[in-house]
mmCIF file of all heavy atoms in Angstrom:
data_model
loop_
_atom_site.group_PDB
_atom_site.id
_atom_site.type_symbol
_atom_site.label_atom_id
_atom_site.label_comp_id
_atom_site.label_asym_id
_atom_site.label_seq_id
_atom_site.Cartn_x
_atom_site.Cartn_y
_atom_site.Cartn_z
ATOM 1 N N ILE A 16 4.582 -28.367 -62.970
ATOM 2 C CA ILE A 16 5.233 -27.097 -62.654
ATOM 3 C C ILE A 16 4.403 -25.963 -63.242
ATOM 4 O O ILE A 16 3.527 -26.183 -64.075
ATOM 5 C CB ILE A 16 6.672 -27.034 -63.216
ATOM 6 C CG1 ILE A 16 6.643 -27.067 -64.746
ATOM 7 C CG2 ILE A 16 7.528 -28.147 -62.656
ATOM 8 C CD1 ILE A 16 7.993 -26.806 -65.371
ATOM 9 N N ILE A 21 2.202 -16.227 -71.281
ATOM 10 C CA ILE A 21 2.878 -15.491 -72.351
ATOM 11 C C ILE A 21 1.940 -14.453 -72.951
ATOM 12 O O ILE A 21 0.829 -14.767 -73.394
ATOM 13 C CB ILE A 21 3.388 -16.452 -73.435
ATOM 14 C CG1 ILE A 21 4.415 -17.414 -72.827
ATOM 15 C CG2 ILE A 21 4.017 -15.671 -74.596
ATOM 16 C CD1 ILE A 21 4.890 -18.488 -73.768
ATOM 17 N N VAL A 61 -5.305 -6.664 -85.560
ATOM 18 C CA VAL A 61 -4.890 -8.060 -85.700
ATOM 19 C C VAL A 61 -5.093 -8.808 -84.387
ATOM 20 O O VAL A 61 -5.563 -9.957 -84.383
ATOM 21 C CB VAL A 61 -3.418 -8.150 -86.154
ATOM 22 C CG1 VAL A 61 -2.943 -9.606 -86.156
ATOM 23 C CG2 VAL A 61 -3.249 -7.555 -87.548
ATOM 24 N N GLU A 113 -19.550 -10.558 -85.117
ATOM 25 C CA GLU A 113 -20.918 -11.078 -84.944
ATOM 26 C C GLU A 113 -21.507 -10.690 -83.583
ATOM 27 O O GLU A 113 -22.163 -11.476 -82.905
ATOM 28 C CB GLU A 113 -20.920 -12.605 -85.103
ATOM 29 C CG GLU A 113 -20.424 -13.057 -86.471
ATOM 30 C CD GLU A 113 -20.336 -14.575 -86.593
ATOM 31 O OE1 GLU A 113 -20.346 -15.250 -85.541
ATOM 32 O OE2 GLU A 113 -20.264 -15.068 -87.722
ATOM 33 N N ILE A 136 -2.833 7.396 -71.692
ATOM 34 C CA ILE A 136 -3.119 6.073 -72.230
ATOM 35 C C ILE A 136 -4.459 5.598 -71.677
ATOM 36 O O ILE A 136 -4.696 5.653 -70.473
ATOM 37 C CB ILE A 136 -2.018 5.072 -71.835
ATOM 38 C CG1 ILE A 136 -0.662 5.512 -72.380
ATOM 39 C CG2 ILE A 136 -2.363 3.675 -72.329
ATOM 40 C CD1 ILE A 136 0.502 4.691 -71.852
ATOM 41 N N ALA A 272 13.513 -15.404 -83.968
ATOM 42 C CA ALA A 272 13.456 -15.144 -82.526
ATOM 43 C C ALA A 272 13.124 -16.391 -81.706
ATOM 44 O O ALA A 272 13.203 -16.366 -80.470
ATOM 45 C CB ALA A 272 12.414 -14.059 -82.238
#
Side-chain angles (χ1 to χ4, degrees):
I16 65 172
I21 298 175
V61 174
E113 300 176 343
I136 300 171

